[in-house]
């Protein structure tokens, strides 16, 4: 895959321009975008930059983090605090994402999206109010391991780190999750599955496939 150097600012602007013309595959009025990558890849920052660029262009954007849809600790840690299989397939409440985020954005939906559900710090429901995304508004969902769940994304962006960069930039206490990302690379191949790939080994000098 050929990658070209780009700045984060220009990347956000280019993606925002592309999203202005993006037509949802299901014919609905809400484009849904994934910004996929390990926590160390900084997907939230890219999603926020794109959201800001969209707003400057007069388009509403809602940034949602998958970390707001973690399952309760009793379920995440059922098999221990460092169980790779649980992290890979059991930490994130995909059912709630379907129900509270994607369901309201289906054709004929209300556009009324719950931005988060569970606070991992308190291990309690966040009780956040719903946000109404107007027709034409863009959902930007960011977080790890997003591809392969059959989520109805209209554009997918994968922020890639090489194995060495991923290890260096992952806090030591979280390095037990690294085998989950190795499996993700093997089983899902996000760089091949995504519409846009961004290499972020050096956070100061990203590159992308255009």
């Amino acid at each position: 895959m050929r990658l070209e150097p780009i700045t984060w600012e220009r990347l956000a602007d280019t993606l925002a321009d592309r999203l202005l013309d993006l037509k949802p595959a299901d014919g609905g009025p809400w484009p849904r975008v994934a910004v996929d990558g390990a926590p160390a890849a900084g997907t939230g920052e890219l999603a926020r930059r794109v959201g800001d660029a969209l707003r400057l262009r007069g388009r509403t954007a809602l940034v949602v983090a998958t970390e707001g849809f973690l399952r309760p600790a009793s379920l995440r840690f059922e098999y221990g605090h460092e169980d790779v299989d649980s992290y890979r397939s059991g930490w994130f409440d995909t059912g709630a994402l379907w129900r509270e985020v994607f369901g309201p954005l289906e054709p004929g939906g209300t556009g009324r999206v719950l931005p988060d559900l569970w606070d991992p710090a308190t291990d309690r429901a966040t009780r956040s109010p719903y946000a109404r995304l107007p027709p034409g508004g863009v959902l930007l969902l960011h977080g790890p391991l997003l591809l392969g769940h059959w989520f109805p994304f209209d554009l997918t962006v994968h922020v890639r780190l090489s194995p060495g960069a991923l290890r260096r930039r992952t806090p030591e206490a979280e390095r037990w999750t690294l085998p989950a990302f190795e499996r993700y690379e093997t089983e899902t191949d996000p760089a091949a599955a995504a519409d846009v790939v961004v290499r972020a080994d050096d956070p100061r000098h990203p590159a992308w496939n255009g």
Side-chain angles (χ1 to χ4, degrees):
M1 179 183 298
R2 183 176 179 178
L3 300 175
E4 300 176 355
I6 194 170
T7 65
W8 291 112
E9 293 80 3
R10 189 157 64 87
L11 175 61
D13 284 339
T14 303
L15 288 173
D17 287 338
R18 182 170 176 178
L19 291 173
L20 291 177
D21 297 324
L22 182 65
K23 304 299 182 185
D26 61 6
W30 297 286
R32 297 144 301 186
V33 180
V35 185
D36 172 69
T43 58
E45 179 60 26
L46 178 56
R48 284 187 288 273
R49 285 178 181 270
V50 175
D52 290 343
L54 281 166
R55 294 181 194 105
L56 288 173
R57 290 158 172 77
R59 184 68 64 85
T60 303
L62 178 64
V63 178
V64 175
T66 56
E67 67 181 11
F69 286 85
L70 288 172
R71 288 192 168 99
S74 60
L75 298 178
R76 298 199 310 275
F77 303 139
E78 183 178 3
Y79 300 103
H81 281 66
E82 298 185 358
D83 186 82
V84 173
D85 289 337
S86 293
Y87 181 76
R88 174 76 173 86
S89 59
W91 270 42
F92 298 96
D93 193 340
T94 55
L97 283 167
W98 276 105
R99 183 179 67 253
E100 303 289 359
V101 178
F102 291 107
L105 302 182
E106 293 177 350
T110 63
R112 189 169 173 265
V113 174
L114 188 65
D116 54 57
L117 177 65
W118 201 258
D119 184 341
T122 63
D123 198 37
R124 293 184 178 184
T126 58
R127 303 189 184 279
S128 295
Y130 283 84
R132 191 173 295 278
L133 197 59
V138 178
L139 170 71
L140 295 159
L141 180 67
H142 69 87
L145 312 171
L146 279 177
L147 308 183
H149 293 292
W150 301 102
F151 289 144
F153 293 118
D154 300 297
L155 183 76
T156 52
V157 179
H158 175 63
V159 184
R160 184 181 185 279
L161 296 176
S162 67
L166 178 58
R167 175 168 288 277
R168 288 193 304 272
R169 291 171 56 184
T170 299
E172 185 173 353
E174 299 173 13
R175 287 181 182 169
W176 65 270
T177 64
L178 296 180
F181 292 103
E182 293 174 6
R183 285 178 51 191
Y184 186 55
E185 288 287 335
T186 301
E187 297 170 3
T188 306
D189 194 3
D195 300 304
V196 176
V197 177
V198 180
R199 186 182 65 203
D201 287 0
D202 183 343
R204 300 166 300 177
H205 302 291
W208 77 316
N209 65 346

